[in-house]
Amino acid sequence: MWTRFTDLFGFDRSRGLAAPVINDPTPSVTFDLNGLEAGSRWAASVDAIQAEALRCFVTDLPGSDSMFVLDWQHPAYRFDAHAEALDTTPRDPVDDYPTVYPDGDYYAFVTADMTNGTFGHPWEPTLCVFGDQLVPTLGASLALWLPIKRSTSHLRRP
């Protein structure tokens, strides 16, 4: 899956820690995560990003029961957003599953055809939302409170 992702998006981690490591897809919007404060505000922001991503995966992606998570230096695996939304088991978000928020590694949540998804860059630090279905939904809702660093879509901060 990483090979396919690399071929489609030009993933190259050697570009530099604070530089984009993928070619921004069209359409996409990349959010700057530098301004998130530490402590409870940071934790609440991470939870909000994850919850909104899961909501949009379930409501806006017809194939979200068969997405893939690419977690750098780990095998990719299938992700069922519908099952995840129904799972009420308490868990530690850092230890139990990757989040769309890049918490120390590159994470991509992508549809099987890789036309929609997210890519988190932990050292830039940014979160890219891409695809015709996710930019107007997840991208638009995150743009209400996160600064936009780059955009290849018409989406701008309101």
Side-chain angles (χ1 to χ4, degrees), residues 52-83:
E52 185 62 7
L54 185 59
R55 185 192 70 78
C56 290
F57 292 164
V58 169
T59 61
D60 303 319
L61 296 177
S64 63
D65 58 339
S66 184
M67 293 180 73
F68 288 90
V69 175
L70 286 69
D71 177 355
W72 182 242
Q73 298 193 25
H74 296 89
Y77 61 90
R78 286 192 186 273
F79 176 79
D80 182 341
H82 295 274

Side-chain angles (χ1 to χ4, degrees), residues 14 22 26 29 41 47 50 60 64 75 80 86 88 97 112 114 118 125 144 149 151 153 156:
S14 69
I22 64 169
T26 301
V29 59
R41 288 185 182 196
D47 287 348
Q50 183 67 14
D60 303 319
S64 63
D80 182 341
L86 293 171
T88 60
Y97 65 100
M114 294 194 181
T118 64
L144 293 172
K149 186 163 189 161
S151 181
S153 73
R156 299 290 181 255

Side-chain angles (χ1 to χ4, degrees), residues 33-49 92-94 99 101-104 125 145:
L33 302 175
N34 272 311
L36 299 182
E37 297 180 29
S40 59
R41 288 185 182 196
W42 175 83
S45 296
V46 171
D47 287 348
I49 291 167
D92 179 352
V94 174
T99 64
Y101 183 90
D103 67 351
W145 61 284

Side-chain angles (χ1 to χ4, degrees), residues 30 82 127 158:
T30 301
H82 295 274
L127 177 65

Side-chain angles (χ1 to χ4, degrees), residues 116-128:
N116 285 272
T118 64
F119 177 76
H121 185 324
W123 297 285
E124 191 177 17
T126 56
L127 177 65
C128 176

